[in-house]
Amino acid sequence: MSRHLPHRPTVLIESSAYASRWRDVAPSAKALFALAGIIASWIAQGPAALAALTAILMLTAFLAARVPLHAYIAAALPPLGFLLLSYLTMLVGPDHNGHWHITTAMLPTIEHTALRSTAMLAALLGLVLTTPMPDLLALLRKLRTPELLLDLMVLCYRMLFVMRQAWDESITAQTARLGYRNWRQAWRSTGLLAGQMAVQVWQRAAALQTAADARVYQGTLRFLPTAYPQAKRQITAAAVAGAVMLAIALGDRL
């Protein structure tokens, strides 16, 4: 049995964002490019146009932003697994007698939905794998997103790392006590760990609240702003690239 979390997509995404070649690109430019990709993917109808949009978005992430392939695949696997499960359920339907069986009637719909979802996913991955969370929050604040929603996002984001730390420390302690020497002991240790995680996370969340109160927390979490001297040029480039994707989608639609 594995002694560590099988995968930490949140940590991987954030690490990739900070190491990205586009780390110093204005978040507004990256968000504009991603938004154009999403809108173009929604407008496009034909499989060739959707495949072209997906290729543009993925190649931009790999070649321009230099996102590592392993990080991209690891971040894409969970949503792709969810989509695959959805497509499999669309292959099952009732016949005239009310009996459920595998049907191919939905294959055209599945193909179109799969291509569109993949293109939109590529647009979102290009944004989150190149933009750290503080930059996204700063952009959302400029767009006048309610402060309560932003604070909830920060707290949930922070709690993911708190949970990871509590998990890793507990795993280390159990391993030192030979808690994973065989399968039976491993299952027992995992059950004990799951039972203790709620208490651990609750205690650490209380400590975070105490720390916030000690710093006179008034309901708004602030971050140091980051300057982007070339923001106008970057936004212009993103607008041009977005216009190309929209032209492809509109040309396919018309």
Side-chain angles (χ1 to χ4, degrees):
M1 176 172 290
S2 174
R3 301 180 182 182
H4 302 282
L5 287 175
H7 187 54
R8 302 183 181 99
T10 303
V11 179
L12 179 66
I13 289 173
E14 197 69 1
S15 300
S16 176
Y18 276 102
S20 171
R21 187 183 181 185
W22 279 5
R23 172 66 179 85
D24 297 327
V25 175
S28 54
K30 291 180 282 190
L32 178 61
F33 180 73
L35 180 61
I38 293 173
I39 295 175
S41 302
W42 181 260
I43 294 175
Q45 294 290 336
L50 290 170
L53 292 173
T54 303
I56 291 173
L57 292 165
M58 293 181 65
L59 290 176
T60 300
F62 293 141
L63 301 180
R66 300 288 177 87
V67 176
L69 178 61
H70 70 90
Y72 196 95
I73 294 176
L77 282 179
L80 286 177
F82 175 79
L83 291 173
L84 178 60
L85 181 62
S86 301
Y87 303 148
L88 291 177
T89 59
M90 294 172 68
L91 290 174
V92 180
D95 56 16
H96 298 290
N97 298 322
H99 300 293
W100 291 84
H101 64 99
I102 297 178
T103 176
T104 59
M106 294 292 291
L107 281 179
T109 303
I110 293 174
E111 178 188 7
H112 179 69
T113 304
L115 290 172
R116 173 178 285 176
S117 301
T118 303
M120 290 186 175
L121 177 61
L124 290 175
L125 287 177
L127 175 63
V128 300
L129 288 172
T130 59
T131 312
M133 185 68 171
D135 293 348
L136 289 175
L137 291 172
L139 176 61
L140 291 173
R141 182 168 280 116
K142 289 182 180 179
L143 296 175
R144 300 186 181 278
T145 304
E147 290 292 339
L148 177 60
L149 179 59
L150 294 179
D151 290 349
L152 288 175
M153 292 172 61
V154 174
L155 291 175
C156 293
Y157 178 76
R158 174 57 183 155
M159 287 307 300
L160 291 175
F161 291 92
V162 170
M163 184 175 295
R164 175 199 169 179
Q165 183 181 7
W167 180 279
D168 288 345
E169 291 177 354
S170 300
I171 287 288
T172 302
Q174 289 182 331
T175 303
R177 294 175 174 81
L178 302 179
Y180 295 91
R181 58 187 174 183
N182 52 52
W183 278 98
R184 181 177 180 181
Q185 193 68 22
W187 278 111
R188 180 177 182 276
S189 297
T190 303
L192 292 173
L193 177 60
Q196 289 294 323
M197 280 297 295
V199 177
Q200 289 267 353
V201 173
W202 182 272
Q203 291 174 344
R204 298 184 187 217
L208 285 175
Q209 182 62 44
T210 302
D213 293 339
R215 291 170 174 79
V216 195
Y217 172 69
Q218 297 179 348
T220 301
L221 298 171
R222 296 290 180 178
F223 299 90
L224 291 175
T226 304
Y228 298 96
Q230 300 180 351
K232 291 184 178 180
R233 183 175 65 85
Q234 293 165 352
I235 292 174
T236 301
V240 172
V244 171
M245 291 190 292
L246 290 173
I248 294 174
L250 290 173
D252 175 70
R253 189 68 178 257
L254 300 176

